[in-house]
Amino acid sequence: MTDILPGWLRSIGKVVISIFITMFGLLLMTFIISRLLPADPVLAIVSDHASAEAIAAAREKLGLNHPIPIQFALYIWDVLRGDLGTSLRTNQPVLEDLARVFPATFELATWGIVIGIVIGVPAGVLGAVRKDSWIDNVIRFVGLVGYSMPIFWLGIMGLLIFYAKLDWLPGPGRLDFGYEDMVTPITGIMTIDTLLQGDTEMFRNAVSHLILPASLLGYFSLAYISRMTRSLMLSQLRQEYVLTARVKGVPERRIVWKHAMGNVLVPLLTVIALSYGTLLEGSVLTETVFTWRGLGLYITDSIFGQDLPAVMGGTIVVGFVYILINTLTDALYRFLDPRAK
Amino acid sequence: MSSTASTGWVIALTPPEWRRWLLTDTPQSRWQARAGRAYLGWAAFARNPLAMLGLLIVLVLIGMAIFAPLITSYSPVVSGDTVADRFLPPGGDHWLGTDGHSWDIWSRIVYGSRTSLLIIFMVAITAAPVGIIIGTTAGYLGGWIDTALMRLTDTFLALPKLVLALAFAAALGAGMENLILAIAITSWPPYARIARAETLTVRNTDYIAAAQMSGASSLRILIGHIMPMCLPSLIVRVTLDMAGIILTAAGLGFLGLGVPLPQPEWGSMVADGRSDILNQWWVCTYPGIAIFIVSLGFNLMGDGLRDVLDPREQ
């Protein structure tokens, strides 16, 4: 039966199935967490002194009168339809709230990964080429510091120094106070929306607000990217084809950037995608520090607002994006590198 | 007579002699061989100055936790005068200053080391056994049990750790036990994978076959013969994860999902000082430095340990 299908179709099928299974696991987790909660979800809707009928009606509405497996099935069905419930704070569908804040996180994480790649990859290559030299040690140490840094604290220190003391950069938020209502959200991505409006001053303002949080996330990802680039590059430079190329007199620069890099590229892609997923996650802490109205801040605000549907909705969306990135990268890796079977 | 014999024994163990005993090619006992291997590992570790620095930081942390009352003269939770001792700048009696609750920051950092170590320790002894049980069971029994357990592990591996821990901590409420549980729930999958890989390498060995033929039950073989073989690589992996556990715990503490006040915890101390950062920078700064130094220490130590145990990178 399976032999009838061409190979590529089967591969896609496997990827889709794998995403579905992992999503099922994620939903099972969020379902268990919502039912673990000490607070009674019914009380969030009706008051303490509600009549028995009102409580029964609320239970009915929430589907709590069904047996647990049925409740879970209904829960999955709701999520598949895009119904993540209604936020208790904003009184809007959670999915709409999330769609509104997602571009902010996307913008921040994307600039972060760009900084991470632009600095991290050359740094890793340099470290591998000059293995054990002082520059290699400096790069490794800077990376290790990035690994060990509590990102929320570094953000606070950055604000203290560059905003409060030196006044080189603007404070928290995505735009200065007066500007915030002047941008019509088109994509939700500030650096694009301001350009679409043709307002260069506002664009500059948006970029200046991005610098600190994006550099922070960039530092975080470059620590990982440079370390992995270095170790991938080192394993290539030990290969015999490199020796052969050297013997034939190929310039070292060409050996590193053409021959070795060609083989490093595929696994490096996996590393970059994984660290992009981690950045989406890491934005929770960064956004809290910089009052960056994205997914992360939405989730933490919802936690303190006791807004469970919003917390779970945010978890599902972050989880879904994360799973998607992981699985697709894995599939891409298998596709690009036939040795990985 | 007996005294000369004992002197001779001591002389036999002067440095070159005990090194020769450790490094011999023909060890007389299994324990001598093991001691020799451990000595070689230690020598390689000690040659790495950064790894030694990491070890030193970790030892200082442990020392701080044990001798906390001797290191500080102030209580971390009993505040000073709420007016006179509030927001004192660093220097004098309070050499890292005091915070908005008139607590001495240095003693809260010192006592906070107990919180950090406790969290690390509890996460390790919660997550590692779960991982080892799932991994060895899957590897030893094989078949559909293996498939199901590993599918479960892979699913957990593919989930975003921090956000999931956040959701757990949010649902369970703030508190030390819940914080530990939230981190442990998201950190067992790598341990399960390692335990399974180790199990697969020993599953078909003769001594396991011998145990099976003498009628030992699967449970007995798993606990008595397979799990001990998984311990060394598992311990290394747990050590490598400790910096991550510290940072996750501090992050959750910063978000207010950790240990409630007044118990000292570095992440919540940073959060506590955040609103006063412009005028009282020290409240927020010092606990953050503590988190950084300790996590750097664990990272340096872990890197050194990995270099010793996994020499492929050399």
Side-chain angles (χ1 to χ4, degrees), chain B residues 140-260:
Chain B
Y140 182 68
L141 296 180
W144 68 268
I145 296 178
D146 184 26
T147 315
L149 287 178
M150 280 303 115
R151 197 68 239 187
L152 182 77
T153 309
D154 285 346
T155 306
F156 265 88
L157 266 180
L159 297 177
K161 274 181 75 168
L162 180 68
V163 173
L164 209 59
L166 204 68
F168 262 105
L172 295 168
M176 176 86 106
E177 298 86 2
N178 294 344
L179 177 76
I180 290 164
L181 200 62
I183 301 176
I185 282 173
T186 52
S187 44
W188 64 267
Y191 307 148
R193 294 215 76 109
I194 291 171
R196 177 173 179 267
E198 293 284 331
T199 307
L200 289 181
T201 59
V202 297
R203 185 171 76 165
N204 296 324
T205 50
D206 291 344
Y207 82 92
I208 297 290
Q212 282 166 341
M213 273 186 289
S214 54
S217 67
S218 292
L219 189 66
R220 189 188 170 125
I221 292 175
L222 272 175
I223 294 175
H225 301 288
I226 290 182
M227 286 187 188
M229 303 304 285
C230 304
L231 280 179
S233 44
L234 212 65
I235 288 170
V236 171
R237 179 59 203 241
V238 171
T239 315
L240 285 171
D241 284 352
M242 282 180 176
I245 295 173
I246 293 234
L247 286 180
T248 310
L252 291 175
F254 174 73
L255 293 174
L257 294 169
V259 188

Side-chain angles (χ1 to χ4, degrees), chain A residues 227, chain B residues 45 50-51 54-55 58 236 239-241 295-309:
Chain A
R227 183 193 182 118
Chain B
F45 186 86
L50 284 178
L55 180 65
V58 172
V236 171
T239 315
L240 285 171
D241 284 352
S295 115
L296 185 69
F298 276 110
N299 269 332
L300 290 172
M301 194 178 82
D303 269 12
L305 210 58
R306 184 169 41 194
D307 284 349
V308 170
L309 295 162

Side-chain angles (χ1 to χ4, degrees), chain A residues 119-143 222-223 225-238 246 252 256-257 261, chain B residues 313:
Chain A
I119 303 178
V121 173
V125 171
L126 189 64
V129 173
R130 304 257 178 88
K131 187 175 183 298
D132 292 330
S133 68
W134 66 269
I135 185 98
D136 181 31
N137 286 330
V138 168
I139 292 171
R140 286 171 75 184
F141 190 74
V142 170
L222 96 83
I225 290 176
S226 70
R227 183 193 182 118
M228 295 309 287
T229 308
R230 179 182 181 274
S231 103
L232 288 169
M233 191 50 112
L234 273 180
S235 68
Q236 286 303 318
L237 292 179
R238 272 197 298 263
R246 279 191 187 132
E252 191 67 23
V256 171
W257 287 103
M261 202 58 188
Chain B
E313 280 291 308

Side-chain angles (χ1 to χ4, degrees), chain B residues 91-154:
Chain B
D93 271 355
H94 302 276
W95 70 284
L96 294 185
T98 60
D99 63 10
H101 307 273
S102 305
W103 285 323
D104 178 63
I105 293 176
W106 168 241
S107 51
R108 283 183 71 74
I109 288 180
V110 169
Y111 278 92
S113 64
R114 292 186 170 178
T115 315
S116 290
L117 279 176
L118 187 66
I119 291 173
I120 294 177
F121 180 73
M122 291 305 292
V123 168
I125 65 164
T126 318
V130 172
I132 207 171
I133 289 170
I134 291 186
T136 50
T137 309
Y140 182 68
L141 296 180
W144 68 268
I145 296 178
D146 184 26
T147 315
L149 287 178
M150 280 303 115
R151 197 68 239 187
L152 182 77
T153 309
D154 285 346

